[in-house]
Amino acid sequence: MNELSFETEFEKILSQLEIRKNDKILVNSNILNIISKFKNKNLPKIIINCLKNKISSKGTLLFPAFNWNFCKGKTYDYKKTKSNTGALSNISLTMKDFKRSINPIYSFNVYGKDKKKIIQMKHESCFGFDSPFGYLIKNKGKNLFIDLDYKDALTFVHVAEEKVGVNYRYIKKFEGHYIDENKKKLIKSCEMYVRKTNLVSKTIINKKFDKILKSKNALKETSFKKIKFSIVDINTAYLLMKNDIKNQSGLIQGKRL
């Protein structure tokens, strides 16, 4: 498949998922199958540019640029530390019209209307409502998943866990060396709602949650050449997850050891 035909198909997928002009979109992706199947090194940039064109400069596009090495005592370099969350994120970090937010653990690379607002967010808690996560919840954001099951990558579940206060996580403070955008060396600290590793291995979202999201028109899915695409309404998903955790309904829970 050539570049033009892939671009056309991807644009159709974005329309099927009802991604529109002015939308606020967070993208989680695994593009290894796409690269392997279509054997075109330019496809990652095509994907990013299609998304930019779809939402326009009045929309906002975010890629997770998370890196957990700061938690291990390693220096975080605003410009040089790579994302641990996929090739698209790292490619976006090389693009001049994107800019990275400042958290040393959960940073986002951002394009569009609200870029300046997001990159300037100084939030102590990684999952706090004053973070980019909170921005997306409060501003009707959508989470696009490319060749990923949303249940394995919906980080907003941790925002809900922190808001409710689950018994298998706790606030942990991290402090370390940070090299900022101007190459200035600082000592920076932040907090994260981490697992009690003696109790749980991860947070599980039960597959029954799919049906609930779909009943609220908050989950849409499609596929192309056996590659799956889905989109989640962030605010709706967050409120449903928070309610489930609060009421201990069992669809959102820590996987016990």
Side-chain angles (χ1 to χ4, degrees):
M1 176 173 285
N2 62 38
E3 291 182 15
L4 184 59
S5 56
F6 177 85
E7 183 175 347
T8 300
E9 290 299 330
F10 187 61
E11 287 173 350
K12 288 180 183 177
I13 287 164
L14 298 182
S15 295
Q16 289 169 9
L17 296 175
E18 299 181 14
I19 293 176
R20 302 183 177 98
K21 184 178 179 180
N22 302 346
D23 273 348
K24 300 167 178 64
I25 304 291
L26 171 64
V27 183
N28 291 81
S29 63
N30 177 359
I31 62 169
L32 293 178
N33 286 336
I34 293 176
I35 293 172
S36 175
K37 186 164 290 189
F38 299 112
K39 303 185 186 306
N40 186 330
K41 65 181 181 179
N42 293 321
L43 293 186
K45 286 190 176 180
I46 291 172
I47 291 171
I48 294 173
N49 287 328
C50 279
L51 284 162
K52 287 164 57 180
N53 292 336
K54 190 70 173 177
I55 65 168
S56 81
S57 61
K58 294 183 178 180
T60 303
L61 181 62
L62 302 90
F63 288 95
F66 310 159
N67 186 297
W68 295 277
N69 286 338
F70 188 78
C71 304
K72 302 172 185 176
K74 294 185 179 181
T75 297
Y76 179 86
D77 190 314
Y78 176 86
K79 287 190 172 181
K80 294 181 180 179
T81 296
K82 291 186 176 181
S83 168
N84 292 148
T85 45
L88 280 186
S89 296
N90 280 306
I91 290 169
S92 77
L93 286 171
T94 69
M95 301 176 80
K96 291 183 179 179
D97 49 0
F98 281 82
K99 198 163 184 181
R100 196 174 197 170
S101 64
I102 61 177
N103 188 280
I105 305 172
Y106 281 91
S107 68
F108 293 80
N109 209 33
V110 191
Y111 161 88
K113 181 181 177 181
D114 288 341
K115 175 171 69 175
K116 186 175 180 179
K117 179 191 296 185
I118 294 169
I119 64 171
Q120 290 179 343
M121 288 179 170
K122 297 178 181 179
H123 51 104
E124 185 71 13
S125 171
C126 292
F127 305 129
F129 253 63
D130 56 348
S131 73
F133 291 111
Y135 160 87
L136 286 162
I137 291 169
K138 291 182 285 188
N139 288 279
K140 299 181 180 179
K142 301 175 182 179
N143 203 161
L144 172 66
F145 297 89
I146 300 175
D147 211 25
L148 283 174
D149 186 333
Y150 82 91
K151 293 185 289 295
D152 296 328
L154 189 63
T155 315
F156 296 90
V157 70
H158 304 317
V159 183
E161 288 174 320
E162 181 173 331
K163 193 71 173 177
V164 174
V166 296
N167 62 9
Y168 53 85
R169 288 182 178 267
Y170 68 101
I171 295 288
K172 183 174 181 178
K173 186 172 183 177
F174 296 92
E175 187 173 271
H177 295 281
Y178 184 105
I179 301 173
D180 71 10
E181 183 180 9
N182 300 313
K183 300 183 180 180
K184 184 178 179 180
K185 295 181 179 180
L186 311 167
I187 297 295
K188 197 173 184 71
S189 65
C190 61
E191 297 176 348
M192 184 164 58
Y193 202 47
V194 301
R195 288 180 295 111
K196 294 180 180 178
T197 54
N198 62 324
L199 292 181
V200 297
S201 58
K202 61 181 179 177
T203 298
I204 297 292
I205 301 176
N206 192 289
K207 63 181 180 180
K208 293 179 182 178
F209 198 61
D210 293 17
K211 187 175 181 180
I212 295 173
L213 286 177
K214 288 177 181 177
S215 73
K216 303 290 185 181
N217 200 33
L219 171 62
K220 299 178 181 68
E221 300 172 308
T222 189
S223 64
F224 172 66
K225 300 285 187 180
K226 296 184 179 180
I227 295 169
K228 295 180 180 179
F229 301 84
S230 62
I231 197 158
V232 171
D233 180 295
I234 291 170
N235 181 269
T236 301
Y238 165 76
L239 292 174
L240 288 168
M241 291 188 294
K242 186 178 75 169
N243 186 62
D244 185 273
I245 295 167
K246 184 177 180 180
N247 295 319
Q248 298 183 347
S249 301
L251 295 183
I252 313 296
Q253 57 183 308
K255 183 179 180 181
R256 300 285 168 170
L257 297 174

